[in-house]
Amino acid sequence: MRFPVTALFPTLAAAPALLAGAAAATELTMSVQIPRLDVSEYHRPYLAVWLEGQDGTALGNLAVWYELRKQGPEGGTKYLKDMRQWWRRIGRETDLPIDGVSGATRPAGEHAVSLNPDAPPFAGLKPGTYEVVVEAAREVGGREVLRLPLVWPPAATQTVGARGTSELGAVSLTLKP
Amino acid sequence: MRSLRLIAALAILLPLPAEAHRAWMLPSSTILSGEDGWATFDTAVSNDLFVFEHVPMRLDGLIVTGPDGNAVKAENATTGKFRSSFDLHLVRAGTYRASVANEFLFANYKLNGETKRWRGRVENFEREIPREAQDLKLTQSFQRTETFVTLGKPNTAALAPTGKGLELRADTHPNNLAAGETARFTLLLDGVPAPGIEVEIVRGGARYRDKPGEMRMKSGSDGSIAVTWPEAGMYWLGAEMQDDKASLPKARRRATYNATFEVLPQ
């Protein structure tokens, strides 16, 4: 089976093009629940979602929600390092903002994370086992990290979920071939 | 006047016996994000880590090196009863090293049957020690106390060894340390890997523990040490050596190195 190498992928050789083509049919849906907390001083959490290989190498950012409009010269980027694991794995190498990835902090509730299977890091992703990592850190609050393992590309519909205990509620990811 | 001040500084820098106190420099944070950032540093000599309870570290030998390897100005430097402090404005991304480094000469001698002690700069020694001095004993001392702070992505230009005294080559970046992981460093003496150097590592906050829980190790044949951080926290690393290979003839050489590392949770 061959897929056309379109102008969108002019530099891709045949094999990655095949994967990119395979991925194109894939559907990814993800949701993240930010818990409602009864605290005297509440700030919306900073939240990062990224993809990791089995060896812990970060392969790309999927979402970075932070305070965009914060007053002061550094904006809200001063607190990005509080998402410690994200910061160490990929955040400190990341130039923000990123179109389609970074955005404003979200209130308590369930939120969709838009994942594009045709864009990096999923486009051209080699078959294998990966983890989607979700980290939330809240000013005058705590920090929590959840990991969702996945097999790429999905052979059948896969749904993986995890539930946080403090800074994150239910987190779920569905992959449809 | 200057030498008087140095002598005063030395009395503080080198309490005797040397093992009694630890010299340290504690940063307010080691990892910063954003366009720019500030860090403040406290530096002192004390038994407890990191508690100001003895004497401040004098800031005469303070040098801050920026991510391009050039010196950066420290601001708001002040010395109080128990500690010295200074601020650092980090305006470009990368790793900064803040060090208090000093080189001194100690002399013990007899003059007309009386025992005398002298501390000062090597270059003043000939002028200030009388020619008739007897039983002259000299110790050339190198001391370095430092810590590291990174804005954004870490780099290594500021970590380049100076080649003087005891230093640490950071085989693992000092601002990339996490609990449960193993960091590797190499002890250097005058820029060359130094085997058999005794190293002590202590986590801060011992005042709240019954056991201080120091880790002790010796650098290997290649000068290296491997440190597995048992938990997150601020850690003090101290190393010290003595031998008779000073640059001055018949002098002893003593070198000490102290660094503070922040180890973060996973």
Side-chain angles (χ1 to χ4, degrees):
Chain A
M1 192 161 57
R2 289 187 64 210
F3 289 87
V5 177
T6 69
L8 282 173
F9 308 104
T11 58
L12 292 179
L18 191 74
L19 285 171
T26 306
E27 258 180 57
L28 299 173
T29 48
M30 184 172 180
S31 73
V32 170
Q33 196 181 40
I34 295 175
R36 192 168 302 280
L37 300 170
D38 184 17
V39 291
S40 57
E41 181 183 346
Y42 181 77
H43 300 269
R44 293 176 179 184
Y46 277 34
L47 188 137
V49 184
W50 71 99
L51 184 69
E52 266 186 21
Q54 266 187 308
D55 60 352
T57 309
L59 302 172
N61 287 295
L62 302 174
V64 183
W65 299 344
Y66 66 105
E67 186 61 78
L68 297 168
R69 294 185 302 270
K70 195 120 180 161
Q71 296 297 309
E74 77 262 320
T77 54
K78 181 178 172 181
Y79 302 103
L80 285 170
K81 49 107 177 126
D82 292 340
M83 296 186 284
R84 283 194 199 113
Q85 207 165 105
W86 172 77
W87 184 250
R88 190 167 183 237
R89 300 278 163 98
I90 187 170
R92 65 192 183 189
E93 321 261 342
T94 301
D95 285 324
L96 291 171
I98 314 169
D99 263 0
V101 171
S102 58
T105 53
R106 310 284 207 267
E110 193 172 307
H111 302 278
V113 180
S114 95
L115 301 178
N116 182 355
D118 301 326
F122 292 107
L125 190 64
K126 284 186 194 148
T129 306
Y130 298 89
E131 277 183 329
V132 167
V133 191
V134 183
E135 180 170 20
R138 186 167 52 88
E139 195 179 342
V140 266
R143 183 180 74 105
E144 186 159 33
V145 179
L146 294 177
R147 295 177 164 270
L148 307 175
L150 64 96
V151 176
W152 187 266
T157 299
Q158 286 176 57
T159 297
V160 280
R163 179 172 283 276
T165 57
S166 55
E167 301 298 334
L168 287 167
V171 173
S172 114
L173 172 69
T174 301
L175 300 87
K176 281 184 190 158
Chain B
M1 277 313 282
R2 176 146 178 87
S3 69
L4 266 181
R5 205 173 54 169
L6 285 174
I7 289 166
L10 257 168
I12 281 163
L13 281 170
L14 282 182
L16 298 172
E19 286 73 23
H21 293 96
R22 293 159 173 146
W24 50 266
M25 183 187 289
L26 183 72
S28 56
S29 53
T30 60
I31 292 176
L32 297 102
S33 57
E35 292 299 305
D36 70 330
W38 284 87
T40 192
F41 300 77
D42 288 319
T43 178
V45 179
S46 67
N47 281 331
D48 246 355
L49 296 164
F50 295 91
V51 182
F52 335 111
E53 33 89 323
H54 184 48
V55 289
M57 175 87 93
R58 300 288 161 180
L59 294 176
D60 302 77
L62 175 66
I63 295 172
V64 184
T65 309
D68 56 1
N70 293 324
V72 181
K73 196 172 162 283
E75 300 187 40
N76 304 324
T78 173
T79 296
K81 171 71 180 160
F82 284 139
R83 72 175 190 278
S84 292
S85 294
F86 57 93
D87 295 334
L88 176 64
H89 191 193
L90 298 90
V91 292
R92 69 165 64 190
T95 299
Y96 295 70
R97 169 165 75 165
S99 316
V100 170
N102 283 302
E103 182 183 342
F104 291 112
L105 186 64
F106 290 71
N108 268 293
Y109 60 92
K110 280 192 174 152
L111 193 64
N112 306 322
E114 221 179 305
T115 303
K116 302 268 188 189
R117 284 168 76 175
W118 177 90
R119 302 161 187 188
R121 298 263 176 205
V122 173
E123 57 268 27
N124 299 337
F125 158 67
E126 299 244 357
R127 195 172 65 230
E128 295 183 12
I129 302 290
R131 293 226 164 266
E132 338 50 285
Q134 292 178 325
D135 296 342
L136 180 63
K137 289 193 181 90
L138 294 173
T139 303
Q140 212 172 348
S141 163
F142 301 86
Q143 300 172 303
R144 172 173 286 274
T145 300
E146 63 189 12
T147 194
F148 312 91
V149 176
T150 295
L151 173 71
K153 190 177 171 178
N155 75 339
T156 57
L159 308 182
T162 65
K164 273 200 159 185
L166 207 50
E167 292 178 277
L168 208 62
R169 189 178 73 205
D171 305 322
T172 301
H173 194 286
N175 291 140
N176 194 24
L177 308 176
E181 295 185 5
T182 300
R184 282 170 210 286
F185 305 116
T186 300
L187 273 299
L188 302 176
L189 184 59
D190 291 342
V192 179
I197 303 286
E198 297 204 18
V199 178
E200 185 187 19
I201 294 165
V202 188
R203 187 164 59 88
R207 119 190 321 200
Y208 310 112
R209 305 193 288 271
D210 290 338
K211 291 181 181 170
E214 308 100 334
M215 294 187 269
R216 287 176 200 277
M217 57 190 77
K218 260 188 185 183
S219 61
S221 56
D222 56 353
S224 72
I225 56 168
V227 187
T228 302
W229 310 104
E231 58 190 295
M234 281 285 188
Y235 285 81
W236 177 85
L237 178 150
E240 184 170 348
M241 59 74 60
Q242 288 196 48
D243 67 11
D244 52 9
K245 292 177 185 154
S247 61
L248 287 177
K250 293 184 193 164
R252 294 279 296 168
R253 167 170 68 171
R254 202 176 92 157
T256 57
Y257 178 84
N258 307 299
T260 304
F261 300 105
E262 187 174 32
V263 175
L264 290 174
Q266 285 284 348

